[in-house]
Amino acid sequence: YITIKREKTVEGLIKDANYLCSVGRQSDALPLYNYAYDIARDKSVKKEIAILKKQAERVIVAEARKAKRKEFKEKVKKKYQEKKAQVKAKEEKRLAARKKQKKINDLYKEALSYYYQDDFIKAREKFKEVLAVSPNDKRAKAYLENKIPAREKKLEEIKNKKAAYEAKIKAKKEAEARKKAEIEAKRRAKEEKQAQKRAEKEAKKKARAEERARKKAEIEAKKKAEKETKGAKEAGKEINQGDVK
């Protein structure tokens, strides 16, 4: 609302309207110009009012355009800032995702390293760390739920087969050793038996040789005794013949 303190004369209305225009209130001045135009009688005054009104309208239009441009600039600026913020947020999100993925990849590599070294305790720990960073990681879940238990079972089977094979080989070696020992024992027994036979044969041979030597000695002694007896007889005979003579 506009309070007019002067009398409602054309000149007073024009002055008030001009004052409002001077302070940048052209939109408030327009009703005064209209009112002054309606009550004015002089055509030249009406023409002047029309000119002033048109000037005020042009200012209003210009101000409106200026305000619209300003509003447009503000909108553009706001949109640009929002876009910039979105781009920044997107970039930060992308960097965070990249950093997160790098961490996941590093943990995954460590987990696989332990997995292929058959260190399943540490492998499980690393895969659980992967799930702590990325709870929906399918690869880590697959290793924890399927691959690690399957590999453990397979290694256990291989271990059991190896143990059975080694036990079989050991039993075979032991059997071969026993067989070899038996053969060796038989060979030694045979050699001992042969040696015993040879010893008995040598003993018999020695005994026969001793018996022959004894018999020969007896024969020699008998012959010697006979010879001595014969010599003694002959000597006695010679003595007797000498006595006779």
Side-chain angles (χ1 to χ4, degrees):
Y1 297 96
I2 301 169
T3 302
I4 301 172
K5 293 181 180 180
R6 296 186 181 88
E7 296 180 4
K8 295 181 180 179
T9 60
V10 175
E11 291 79 3
L13 291 171
I14 291 171
K15 283 181 181 180
D16 287 338
N18 289 339
Y19 172 75
L20 291 172
C21 287
S22 67
V23 294
R25 295 174 62 185
Q26 283 78 6
S27 58
D28 293 333
L30 281 178
L32 297 180
Y33 284 132
N34 289 333
Y35 184 49
Y37 186 84
D38 290 339
I39 65 174
R41 302 290 183 214
D42 193 342
K43 289 183 179 180
S44 60
V45 174
K46 280 191 172 188
K47 188 176 180 181
E48 181 185 353
I49 293 170
I51 292 168
L52 292 172
K53 181 183 174 183
K54 190 173 283 188
Q55 289 175 351
E57 287 174 347
R58 281 199 296 269
V59 171
I60 289 170
V61 170
E63 289 295 328
R65 287 177 180 173
K66 187 177 179 181
K68 197 172 182 180
R69 283 196 298 271
K70 186 177 180 182
E71 184 182 358
F72 176 74
K73 286 181 180 180
E74 289 294 329
K75 284 183 179 179
V76 170
K77 185 178 179 181
K78 186 179 179 182
K79 192 173 181 181
Y80 171 75
Q81 289 175 345
E82 287 176 354
K83 186 71 176 176
K84 188 178 179 181
Q86 288 175 359
V87 170
K88 186 179 179 181
K90 192 174 180 181
E91 181 66 17
E92 288 176 352
K93 188 177 179 180
R94 187 178 65 81
L95 290 173
R98 184 183 292 177
K99 187 177 179 181
K100 180 181 176 182
Q101 191 59 46
K102 186 179 183 302
K103 187 176 181 180
I104 290 170
N105 291 340
D106 292 341
L107 289 170
Y108 194 74
K109 285 178 183 177
E110 289 182 42
L112 283 180
S113 176
Y114 288 127
Y115 173 78
Y116 287 114
Q117 291 173 18
D118 298 331
D119 190 345
F120 300 118
I121 294 173
K122 289 185 179 179
R124 278 193 174 92
E125 290 176 358
K126 291 300 175 182
F127 281 123
K128 285 178 182 178
E129 287 183 30
V130 171
L131 289 178
V133 178
S134 178
N136 298 320
D137 193 285
K138 293 181 180 179
R139 297 180 302 174
K141 285 184 178 180
Y143 274 94
L144 286 171
E145 294 172 4
N146 300 318
K147 292 188 178 183
I148 290 178
R151 189 170 176 85
E152 284 178 328
K153 185 178 179 181
K154 187 176 180 181
L155 289 176
E156 187 66 24
E157 290 175 355
I158 291 170
K159 185 179 178 181
N160 292 336
K161 285 181 181 179
K162 186 179 179 181
Y165 175 76
E166 288 177 351
K168 187 177 178 181
I169 294 297
K170 186 179 179 181
K172 187 177 179 181
K173 286 182 177 179
E174 288 175 352
E176 289 176 352
R178 283 196 300 271
K179 190 175 181 180
K180 189 176 180 181
E182 289 174 0
I183 292 169
E184 184 67 19
K186 286 180 180 180
R187 186 185 66 78
R188 286 181 181 176
K190 188 177 180 181
E191 286 179 353
E192 287 174 359
K193 191 174 181 180
Q194 289 174 350
Q196 187 178 358
K197 284 182 179 181
R198 284 195 298 269
E200 289 175 354
K201 191 175 180 180
E202 289 293 330
K204 286 179 180 180
K205 187 178 179 182
K206 186 178 180 181
R208 285 195 298 270
E210 287 176 352
E211 183 65 21
R212 283 195 300 270
R214 186 180 63 76
K215 286 180 178 182
K216 187 178 179 182
E218 286 178 355
I219 292 168
E220 290 292 332
K222 190 175 180 181
K223 285 180 178 181
K224 186 177 180 182
E226 288 176 352
K227 190 176 181 181
E228 287 176 354
T229 303
K230 188 177 180 181
K233 284 180 179 182
E234 287 178 356
K237 190 176 181 181
E238 287 178 358
I239 291 170
N240 290 330
Q241 287 178 358
D243 290 337
V244 170
K245 286 179 179 184

